[in-house]
């Protein structure tokens, strides 16, 4: 028999039980580990055998990402010393190899898409067991709608809109956390599970009645192609910097795009401005163009004539691109930043990947696992 223990930073409960042989089996409830985009994180998973005399070369370790719709995405598989990494995880996922019984994997250069629930499966001949780890990201949720106006996006358009703004569709837990931190938005938007929700911190008649309690209002799961709403997007820490480009005169949209390029940057996306506000504490009381043609500015310390008494990213909408003049927010990527806060550069990671690949499973040997 194999027992898998999946361990995160949170251990809500530990259950002890006896099997038919009288052996004690210890299992921990699923926990979560937290990092940010670009970070490095361990997904912990340990196992032991009963009895202990099992050949390690016959142990198969498999990691899979599980979505809300119970779809499975292969991440990593190992059989003895042979290993294989799949899809977008190639070059970023490795066994921790901290000793006997360790099935933990390390994910480096974490992406927004890595957020979610992972299954650790350990198999020995006919016996197997599984455990789960939730990977959470530090980040910020923001509402988004396009130039065409409110309630113009079906699910797939909302998903694409978030990606274009350097973000992903937010999950319910991410939106709920944002509501706890004060997010108040009176327009319903798509979430990644296909539901439509909106957060209300200050109940009022125009937002679902004043006498209803504050909370995250839920329309339930909607038709992904036919129904249209806004989007709630989620982004995390940047591998770069957003800044307001100082110029002697204000510019239209086309001039703003060119100005950032001349400065060695690009016009910032909406998600990048929110990430800069959240993590860089960018505070600028000057409205500027963004890549999508909207005008916004970030306020960390509210003050008079800067758009209200609450911190946030102010949105002035989508003005005429040719005739309206503003400043511009640019984004410059860090080319040589260490990956995942590990002190390793991308070239170092590439070298590590090359060394690890000597033990990798050939493509045509996948079915042997």
């Amino acid at each position: 028999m194999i027992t898998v223990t999946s361990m995160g930073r949170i251990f809500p409960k530990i259950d002890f039980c006896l099997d038919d042989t009288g052996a004690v089996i210890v299992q921990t409830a699923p926990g979560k580990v937290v990092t940010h985009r670009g970070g490095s994180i361990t997904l912990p998973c340990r196992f032991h055998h009963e009895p202990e005399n099992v050949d390690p070369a016959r142990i198969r370790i498999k990691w899979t990402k599980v979505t809300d719709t119970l779809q499975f995405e292969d991440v990593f598989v190992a059989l003895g010393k042979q290993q294989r990494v799949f899809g977008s995880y190639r070059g970023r996922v490795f066994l921790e190899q901290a000793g006997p019984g360790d099935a933990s994997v390390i994910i480096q250069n974490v992406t927004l898409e890595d957020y979610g629930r992972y299954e650790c499966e350990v198999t020995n001949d006919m016996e197997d067991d599984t455990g789960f780890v939730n990977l959470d990201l530090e980040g910020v949720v923001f509402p988004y709608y396009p130039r065409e106006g409110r309630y113009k996006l079906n699910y797939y358009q909302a998903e694409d809109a978030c990606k274009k703004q350097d973000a992903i569709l937010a999950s319910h837990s991410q939106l709920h956390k944002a509501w706890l931190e004060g997010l108040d938005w009176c327009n319903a938007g798509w979430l990644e599970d296909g539901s439509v929700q909106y957060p209300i911190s200050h109940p009022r008649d125009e937002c679902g009645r004043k006498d209803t309690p504050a909370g995250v209002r839920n329309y339930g799961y909607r038709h992904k192609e036919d129904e249209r709403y806004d989007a709630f997007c989620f982004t995390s820490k940047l591998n770069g910097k957003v800044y307001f480009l100082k110029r002697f005169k204000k510019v239209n949209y086309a001039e703003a795009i060119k100005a950032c390029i001349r400065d060695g940057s690009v016009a910032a996306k909406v998600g990048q401005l929110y990430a800069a506000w959240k993590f860089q504490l960018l505070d600028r009381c000057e409205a500027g163009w963004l890549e999508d043609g909207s005008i916004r500015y970030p306020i960390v310390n509210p003050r008079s004539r800067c758009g209200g008494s609450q911190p946030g990213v102010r949105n002035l909408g989508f003005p005429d691109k040719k005739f309206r003049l503003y400043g511009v927010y640019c984004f410059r990527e860090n080319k040589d930043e260490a990956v995942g806060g590990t002190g390793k550069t991308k070239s170092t990671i590439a070298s590590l990947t090359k060394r690890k690949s000597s033990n990798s499973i050939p493509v045509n040997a996948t079915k042997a696992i």
Side-chain angles (χ1 to χ4, degrees):
M1 177 180 293
I2 297 174
T3 299
V4 175
T5 304
S6 59
M7 299 179 295
R9 295 182 183 174
I10 299 175
F11 303 92
K13 183 181 179 182
I14 297 180
D15 294 326
F16 298 87
C17 60
L18 296 175
D19 66 8
D20 294 337
T21 65
V24 178
I25 299 173
V26 180
Q27 294 179 309
T28 62
K32 71 176 180 178
V33 293
V34 183
T35 186
H36 53 74
R37 175 168 53 181
S40 180
I41 193 70
T42 297
L43 303 186
C45 179
R46 297 193 61 83
F47 64 93
H48 70 272
H49 314 96
E50 296 178 4
E52 296 290 343
N53 57 343
V54 176
D55 182 3
R58 299 170 66 180
I59 296 295
R60 188 184 87 155
I61 299 169
K62 183 176 182 180
W63 280 90
T64 307
K65 186 178 181 185
V66 187
T67 69
D68 285 339
T69 54
L70 293 181
Q71 295 179 338
F72 298 87
E73 177 186 2
D74 290 338
V75 174
F76 174 90
V77 63
L79 179 60
K81 294 184 178 180
Q82 292 183 309
Q83 301 176 14
R84 185 176 183 187
V85 187
F86 297 87
S88 63
Y89 296 94
R90 290 193 183 103
R92 301 192 297 119
V93 174
F94 310 97
L95 269 181
E96 187 175 46
Q97 297 179 326
D102 185 19
S104 306
V105 291
I106 300 171
I107 303 180
Q108 295 172 331
N109 195 19
V110 170
T111 69
L112 294 176
E113 290 75 17
D114 292 342
Y115 168 85
R117 182 174 173 85
Y118 290 80
E119 178 188 71
C120 172
E121 179 185 35
V122 180
T123 305
N124 173 31
D125 294 332
M126 298 299 292
E127 298 288 340
D128 67 84
D129 200 2
T130 60
F132 294 89
V133 179
N134 293 314
L135 173 57
D136 198 5
L137 297 179
E138 298 172 348
V140 57
V141 172
F142 62 94
Y144 188 79
Y145 60 90
R147 173 176 287 273
E148 291 74 23
R150 302 253 170 118
Y151 290 4
K152 299 294 184 181
L153 304 172
N154 67 23
Y155 174 84
Y156 303 104
Q157 292 168 334
E159 189 176 43
D160 185 58
C162 288
K163 288 181 179 179
K164 288 180 178 178
Q165 300 311 315
D166 193 43
I168 58 175
L169 278 175
S171 68
H172 169 74
S173 62
Q174 289 167 339
L175 183 63
H176 185 264
K177 181 180 178 181
W179 169 73
L180 291 175
E181 295 173 350
L183 182 61
D184 184 281
W185 193 253
C186 195
N187 291 86
W190 291 102
L191 297 183
E192 56 90 20
D193 63 355
S195 66
V196 173
Q197 306 183 33
Y198 65 100
I200 295 297
S201 298
H202 307 288
R204 48 206 185 272
D205 287 336
E206 61 271 27
C207 298
R209 296 178 57 185
K210 186 176 181 178
D211 57 354
T212 56
V216 178
R217 310 286 167 77
N218 192 341
Y219 287 2
Y221 298 100
R222 316 304 298 181
H223 195 286
K224 290 185 175 181
E225 293 185 354
D226 293 344
E227 299 191 41
R228 282 165 168 73
Y229 300 93
D230 294 346
F232 284 103
C233 306
F234 174 85
T235 193
S236 186
K237 186 178 178 181
L238 294 169
N239 177 28
K241 181 181 180 180
V242 173
Y243 62 96
F244 185 83
L245 182 61
K246 295 181 180 179
R247 294 179 55 85
F248 294 109
K249 65 175 184 177
K250 296 180 179 181
V251 294
N252 65 24
Y253 176 78
E255 293 168 336
I257 298 298
K258 293 177 182 178
C260 287
I261 294 174
R262 285 195 296 268
D263 201 52
S265 305
V266 294
K269 300 177 184 294
V270 176
Q272 291 168 340
L273 185 64
Y274 270 93
W277 167 74
K278 176 76 172 182
F279 295 102
Q280 294 176 205
L281 300 181
L282 182 62
D283 184 287
R284 188 88 184 190
C285 193
E286 294 186 68
W289 291 103
L290 295 184
E291 185 269 346
D292 69 338
S294 65
I295 300 295
R296 305 174 193 248
Y297 62 99
I299 296 297
V300 175
N301 301 306
R303 49 208 183 269
S304 61
R305 295 186 294 180
C306 289
S309 61
Q310 298 297 319
V313 175
R314 315 292 192 234
N315 183 3
L316 303 186
F318 295 86
D320 186 283
K321 288 184 175 182
K322 185 175 181 179
F323 297 107
R324 298 301 298 272
L325 306 179
Y326 296 92
V328 58
Y329 287 91
C330 305
F331 171 73
R332 181 178 292 131
E333 185 177 8
N334 293 336
K335 300 295 184 181
D336 300 319
E337 184 175 274
V339 175
T342 61
K344 299 183 178 70
T345 63
K346 292 182 180 179
S347 60
T348 304
I349 296 300
S351 176
L352 176 62
T353 304
K354 186 175 181 179
R355 294 199 301 272
K356 294 268 187 180
S357 66
S358 62
N359 291 328
S360 63
I361 298 171
V363 172
N364 60 4
T366 308
K367 294 182 179 179
I369 293 298

